[in-house]
Amino acid sequence: MESNGIKAILLDLDNTLIDTAGAHRIAIQKVEALLGTRFGQDDIGKICKGFELKLLQETYNPSGGESIDQVRVTHWQEAIREAGSAEPDGTLATECYSMWKNSRLEQLAIPGPVWDLLKDLQKTHKLLLLTNGVSQTQWEKIRAVRCEELFQAMVVGGDHAEDKPAPSIFQHCFTLLGVGPRDCVMVGDSLDTDILGGVNAGVRATVWVNANGREIPPGVSVKPDYTVTTVLELPTILSTLK
């Protein structure tokens, strides 16, 4: 596969290379089974939905003195309490968090065809993993899928002052690879971080991985250069870039 002038490909991790959303759903089902020994179905639903909402709204400051594990145990404690259930010692919340975290990590994997594609792309391009998120959490995922050999460099937003879509983290990536923005393609599933970040950083092209056929929401001004349902379509796009 010839590079056609593109020297580097920046790839997002979650829901781009790995099905984090699917792994989360399975992990929640495991927690529901655990909670089923203590609560009725209505309470189980409230507790899990409460945790998911807290996870979605989560803001984490590593300098605050708590680990991300402690913060997420607290999410479960609060969700249990808000569902009207007493859990004075926190044991159940800890069990829920452990079940959710470990089950999610166990489900994560880079599918075989995607792995093979990246190995092939390695021959002609510099590959860099660029993922947002809490440092501990993202490195745990990276270790779980054992993908270090696929990338020349890996950058986790939580290790830096700013993450995607800030231009600074993209500039860091360009420096690591020894390339310029126009030498690069950014690939990811998020319009707000991957695509906007790539556009702001001046990359040659942005590729939106839209596995579920989502519409671009009204009022969203950023538009990807290319839209695919899977990263397996990347070779076709690369062949068009001169």
Side-chain angles (χ1 to χ4, degrees):
M1 189 183 300
E2 296 181 1
S3 67
N4 294 314
I6 298 297
K7 297 178 182 177
I9 306 170
L10 280 53
L11 294 130
D12 175 53
L13 179 65
D14 294 302
N15 303 310
T16 297
L17 298 180
I18 60 175
D19 184 12
T20 309
H24 167 78
R25 287 191 294 271
I26 292 172
I28 285 292
Q29 291 171 1
K30 299 273 191 181
V31 176
E32 287 174 342
L34 172 64
L35 292 171
T37 64
R38 297 273 294 270
F39 303 107
Q41 198 59 45
D42 287 346
D43 285 339
I44 292 170
K46 289 176 185 177
I47 291 168
C48 290
K49 282 182 171 51
F51 170 75
E52 290 178 315
L53 181 60
K54 294 175 193 303
L55 196 65
L56 185 65
Q57 297 174 339
E58 180 179 270
T59 58
Y60 174 66
N61 181 359
S63 65
E66 283 189 309
S67 71
I68 189 63
D69 293 321
Q70 291 169 320
V71 167
R72 290 178 174 175
V73 167
T74 299
H75 291 343
W76 282 110
Q77 285 178 320
E78 292 176 349
I80 292 168
R81 185 175 64 250
E82 289 165 6
S85 303
E87 216 263 306
D89 61 2
T91 302
L92 180 59
T94 300
E95 291 177 7
C96 288
Y97 174 64
S98 179
M99 175 69 73
W100 173 80
K101 174 181 175 176
N102 293 330
S103 297
R104 188 172 73 148
L105 287 173
E106 287 167 4
Q107 294 298 320
L108 295 177
I110 295 179
V114 175
W115 187 282
D116 292 342
L117 170 65
L118 297 178
K119 291 294 285 185
D120 192 33
L121 288 172
Q122 268 186 331
K123 300 170 186 175
T124 49
H125 301 78
K126 296 178 178 181
L127 303 186
L128 182 144
L129 186 70
L130 176 56
T131 175
N132 275 5
V134 177
S135 178
Q136 175 189 322
T137 301
Q138 295 309 102
W139 284 111
E140 286 172 345
K141 293 175 188 173
I142 290 167
R143 288 192 292 271
V145 301
R146 300 180 176 89
C147 63
E148 292 91 340
E149 70 181 80
L150 297 173
F151 301 97
Q152 181 162 336
M154 295 183 289
V155 177
V156 173
D159 293 332
H160 298 269
E162 298 180 300
D163 52 17
K164 296 177 290 185
S168 63
I169 199 164
F170 283 87
Q171 185 56 57
H172 176 68
C173 294
F174 304 149
T175 300
L176 283 177
L177 296 179
V179 298
R182 300 298 295 171
D183 298 322
C184 300
V185 171
M186 177 66 214
V187 183
D189 71 299
S190 171
L191 292 171
D192 294 332
T193 60
D194 301 312
I195 305 308
L196 178 61
V199 169
N200 289 344
V203 300
R204 175 87 68 86
T206 56
V207 181
W208 183 35
V209 180
N210 182 13
N212 300 317
R214 292 167 288 160
E215 297 285 337
I216 295 179
V220 174
S221 59
V222 63
K223 300 293 190 295
D225 295 303
Y226 299 92
T227 300
V228 297
T229 58
T230 167
V231 293
L232 295 175
E233 298 175 54
L234 265 180
T236 301
I237 290 169
L238 292 171
S239 70
T240 70
L241 294 170
K242 305 298 183 183

